[in-house]
Each structure stands twice: as C-alpha cells, then as structure tokens.
C-alpha cells in the first residue's frame, strides 16, 4: 500500500502534446520541436499525424527558452545493479493489487482522458481528489493549470534529510484515440 501511495502521490501529469481543440477549448497552433534544430507551428491534425507515425517530438509552445534544448536522439542510461534493496524489500511486502485495481477501474470509466477536452478535465479533477484522499499530511498536492482544460497534478513530498536533493517521479494520465480524439474510446 505504501509503495502504491508513493507512486500515486508522485504523479505529475504533463502532456507531451498540445493542439487546437476540436471543441474550441484551446484553439491555437502549437510550436512543435521535431529535432535539435527544427521547429514548426502545427495544428491538431498535424500533431495527430505525428503521433500516428510514432514520430518523436516535443511541444515547446509554453516552454521557457532555457528549457527548450533537448536531445531527441540520445538514449537514457540505466543502472546496471540494484541498490537500496534493504529499504525496498520490506515495502514490497506491503504491496497489494486492491488499491491500484480500484483506482484503475474508476479511472477507465472515462470515455477517454484526452488532455484537450472535458473528459481530460474531469479525469484530472477525479485523480486530484483521489490523490488528496490518500495523501498524508506530509504531502502537498496542487494543480498546475495549462491553456488546455486538463490540469497537471503536483504532489510534493518534502524530505526530512538531504533538503538540497530533488527526486521527480512523473506519470502520464491522458489518453487519446488517434482516430477520434474528442469522443473516441481510449480508457
């Protein structure tokens, strides 16, 4: 239970794509970074085409200039050995599928969680309420509003030592049906 709570409470919902909404809630083109040196202003259908072709890109419309440089071609490095097993193993013994199953059962009742329509907005509000209901008093849960309807959720757990260190865990909560983003089923 504690491990799942830590996972759920650390959710930061940050969409990787944005566009002009078909329901008029967000009607502007987005600045899309396609490579280190190539950016283009794109509309909803152009962005959906990138997604259908599985082309990597980044929406930088709202990014501050110092956050724009990224490497779309670099591969992440992963640790080759496990560490902290003495701390992790006792927590794993407390993990149960009950809470995740309950959350996912409710979460998938939304037709979709498309960030740019009211389904995305409602699902984000539901997730916020769910996180707040299980968060301990040490957890500060807030939202970050975007120009599109779905908010990001930030759950901050302040450490008791190493206050100069930051650990970020994020997850993606929106879903999309590429053929019909607004009303297509994509639980």
């Amino acid at each position: 239970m504690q491990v799942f709570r830590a996972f759920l409470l650390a959710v930061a919902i940050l969409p990787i794509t944005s566009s002009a909404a078909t329901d008029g809630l967000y009607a502007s083109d987005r600045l899309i970074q396609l490579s280190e040196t190539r950016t283009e202003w794109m509309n909803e259908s152009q962005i959906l085409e990138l997604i259908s072709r599985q082309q990597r890109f980044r929406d930088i419309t709202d990014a501050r200039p110092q956050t724009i440089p990224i490497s779309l071609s670099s591969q992440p490095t992963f640790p080759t050995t496990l560490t902290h097993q003495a701390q992790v193993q006792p927590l794993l013994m407390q993990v149960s599928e009950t809470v995740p199953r309950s959350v996912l059962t409710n979460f998938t009742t939304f037709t979709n969680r498309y960030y740019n329509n009211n389904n995305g907005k409602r699902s984000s509000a539901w997730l916020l309420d769910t996180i707040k209901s299980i968060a301990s008093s040490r957890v500060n849960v807030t939202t970050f509003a975007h120009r599109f309807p779905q908010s990001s959720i930030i759950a901050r757990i302040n450490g008791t030592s190493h206050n100069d260190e930051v650990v970020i865990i994020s997850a993606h909560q929106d879903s999309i049906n590429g053929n019909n983003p607004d009303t297509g089923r994509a639980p």
Side-chain angles (χ1 to χ4, degrees), residues 128-180:
L128 175 67
D129 290 343
T130 301
I131 292 171
K132 284 183 174 181
S133 75
I134 63 173
S136 75
S137 60
R138 283 189 41 216
V139 181
N140 178 23
V141 182
T142 59
T143 59
F144 179 86
H146 301 281
R147 291 190 289 169
F148 44 84
Q150 186 180 76
S151 294
S152 291
I153 300 170
I154 301 167
R156 183 183 179 109
I157 306 170
N158 292 322
T160 54
S161 61
H162 305 288
N163 291 333
D164 59 333
E165 295 182 2
V166 176
V167 176
I168 298 173
I169 301 172
S170 67
H172 217 104
Q173 82 100 16
D174 70 325
S175 65
I176 185 172
N177 177 321
N179 293 323
N180 186 351

